[in-house]
Amino acid sequence: MGVDFSRHFSERAKELRASEVRELLKLLEVPDMISFAGGFPNPETFPAEIIREIANDVLKSDGAKALQYGITEGCPQLRESVAERMKKKGMDIAKDNVLIVSGSQQVIDLTGKVFIDPKDSVVISAPTYLTALTGWAVYQASFESIPIDQNNMRMDIFEERMKKLAKRANPPEIVYALPNFQNPAGVTMPEKNRRKLVDMASDYDFLIIEDDPYGELRYKGEDIAPIKSFDDEGRVIYMSTFSKILSPGLRVGWVVAHEDILRKLVIAKQSADVCTNVLGQRIAHEYIVRGHIDPQIEKIKKIYSRKMDLMLSGMNEFMPDGIEWTKPDGGMFLWVDLPDWMDSGELLKKALKKRVAFVTGKAFFADPKDGITSMRLNFTHPSDSMITEGLRRLGSVVNQEIVSKWDRSTESVERKIEDAVKGNLIGKS
Ligand code: PMP
Ligand code: G9A
């Protein structure tokens, strides 16, 4: 007889919800599948040869340290080189404000441990990064969703909501912001809204978690300073990563925060993973100090900007009228709004049969009723020819949905006419 393990799981484990992106990842193995699903960098951008050279040098000159446990805060050299880069972005910080983490995803977990008690509310944009939702749900957070527009979080709605929530016994203490080319919608927060958020943090006594994995990937317009650069009180916890500008397989990211906050995060990290992969940190550090990182970012931007243009023109070519999508200035994603009767979950089933994948909009909302008629498309991972072919397939599935709906409604009109005619005839006889 099989063992029923459910009674052994914790209350917390009952809140675990799988990431749709992680689940769809398995589809990449299916032959001929074109995936617009995962937010994956294009492997064409990985500087494997330079990394091989650096790894060789590090192991030769300092193998004993590079292969040993490291300190939890991170390799001092990397903390320093990251601090230098962050200062150039306008942050008034030092090395001691930087904690190296095992991918910025770890910050979701560590901040959950450090800040979230069951039923605490976290303010999020709607839609938002899905693995922040699943990550904080583990800590039994509840979510206050603020809709977005082309300027990212709707600040007017946010302000209204905060006024109301401030009257509650347990007002939100954390606001999660994705200011640059937001995952999933690709939209960016203007500078004035960033400043406003910091001012409101002070007025309402909340902290801001600023998640910025895509800030370096701008293909159009001018850079906007991070929220953290406007922060005089240490209320902003900034996080970013080498995943999108070097390699996600290295699993190296960083946090910039006030020392008191950092200390708590470090203690939480001690029992999470002891320390981040030391060899990976040493590679990332050498990559910066040997001057490779900025040319690498330029190279990535050139490739992704071409892919984004290809994506936008493919959308124009293959999507029928009545479908809308965002026009990002950078990042990795487009957000698509389908007609209000079209369920993207049903669409995905049909799309997968045609060997094309995307992530359904629903995955990015805390409220399961939201996002049903939307989807997220990644444009960085597929090759150029796959982008065009994938959109041709997706466009035909969407068109087919519209035609079937039209057929169904025509059929029902015809049936009504038929019934009316029959009724008349019967009436006359
Ligand atoms: N935050 C956001 C918004 C992301 O999109 C991602 C990765 N897709 C992460 C955090 C985590 O990235 P990593 O752990 O690779 O640094
Ligand atoms: O594979 C992951 O979980 C990282 C990508 C995240 C995303 O697609 O949003």
Side-chain angles (χ1 to χ4, degrees), residues 236-248:
V236 181
I237 299 162
Y238 174 94
M239 66 206 236
S240 188
T241 179
F242 287 101
S243 290
K244 317 293 169 164
I245 54 172
L246 179 53
S247 145

Side-chain angles (χ1 to χ4, degrees), residues 407 409-420:
D407 282 351
S409 60
T410 319
E411 241 170 59
S412 91
V413 169
E414 277 169 5
R415 207 173 310 121
K416 272 185 199 143
I417 296 173
E418 239 170 63
D419 290 351

Side-chain angles (χ1 to χ4, degrees), residues 4 7 9 29 41 93 98 115 157 254 292 308 319-320 366 376 426:
D4 174 13
R7 79 177 188 85
F9 294 136
E29 307 301 320
I93 53 127
V98 176
F115 294 110
I157 298 179
W254 65 92
H292 293 301
M308 189 176 78
M319 288 295 156
R376 187 194 75 175
I426 291 162

Side-chain angles (χ1 to χ4, degrees), residues 39 102-106 108 129 176 178 183 211-214 239-244 248 251-253 333 376:
S102 302
S104 55
Q105 184 61 41
Q106 188 176 40
I108 303 286
Y129 175 47
Y176 176 55
L178 295 145
N183 180 1
D211 190 0
D212 188 28
Y214 306 104
M239 66 206 236
S240 188
T241 179
F242 287 101
S243 290
K244 317 293 169 164
R251 306 308 300 134
V252 183
F333 307 106
R376 187 194 75 175

Side-chain angles (χ1 to χ4, degrees), residues 66-253:
L67 297 176
Q68 188 55 278
Y69 285 117
I71 55 175
T72 305
E73 285 84 345
C75 293
Q77 306 96 306
L78 181 61
R79 294 177 79 197
E80 190 72 62
S81 50
V82 166
E84 284 310 308
R85 284 185 75 80
M86 295 299 97
K87 281 194 229 170
K88 288 194 188 130
K89 292 192 180 295
M91 298 182 199
D92 183 15
I93 53 127
K95 175 189 135 202
D96 289 345
N97 298 107
V98 176
L99 162 65
I100 304 299
V101 284
S102 302
S104 55
Q105 184 61 41
Q106 188 176 40
V107 186
I108 303 286
D109 189 53
L110 298 180
T111 50
K113 281 194 176 117
V114 165
F115 294 110
I116 300 175
D117 289 317
K119 305 273 183 298
D120 276 358
S121 51
V122 176
V123 180
I124 51 168
S125 59
T128 193
Y129 175 47
L130 89 154
T131 331
L133 289 174
T134 52
W136 286 325
V138 176
Y139 295 98
Q140 291 155 302
S142 70
F143 295 102
E144 285 294 332
S145 302
I146 310 292
I148 60 162
D149 62 12
Q150 70 281 4
N151 286 331
N152 204 293
M153 190 185 266
R154 283 275 305 269
M155 291 305 283
D156 51 342
I157 298 179
F158 174 63
E159 207 170 351
E160 274 306 302
R161 187 80 59 86
M162 284 311 288
K163 268 187 208 154
K164 274 194 199 138
L165 294 173
K167 293 179 191 140
R168 277 208 204 149
N170 186 15
E173 289 171 57
I174 299 282
V175 173
Y176 176 55
L178 295 145
N180 291 315
F181 326 118
Q182 191 236 30
N183 180 1
V187 291
T188 294
M189 186 182 280
E191 181 181 314
K192 87 172 182 335
N193 294 9
R194 299 180 189 212
R195 290 181 182 274
K196 170 111 190 153
L197 204 54
V198 171
D199 290 345
M200 284 182 62
S202 185
D203 295 346
Y204 288 91
D205 191 20
F206 60 78
L207 303 180
I208 299 166
I209 297 180
E210 178 179 17
D211 190 0
D212 188 28
Y214 306 104
E216 302 275 15
L217 305 182
R218 177 178 276 280
Y219 321 130
K220 283 182 189 159
E222 297 295 318
D223 283 337
I224 306 174
I227 303 172
K228 179 77 185 151
S229 68
F230 306 117
D231 171 30
D232 298 328
E233 297 180 358
R235 289 180 178 276
V236 181
I237 299 162
Y238 174 94
M239 66 206 236
S240 188
T241 179
F242 287 101
S243 290
K244 317 293 169 164
I245 54 172
L246 179 53
S247 145
L250 279 186
R251 306 308 300 134
V252 183

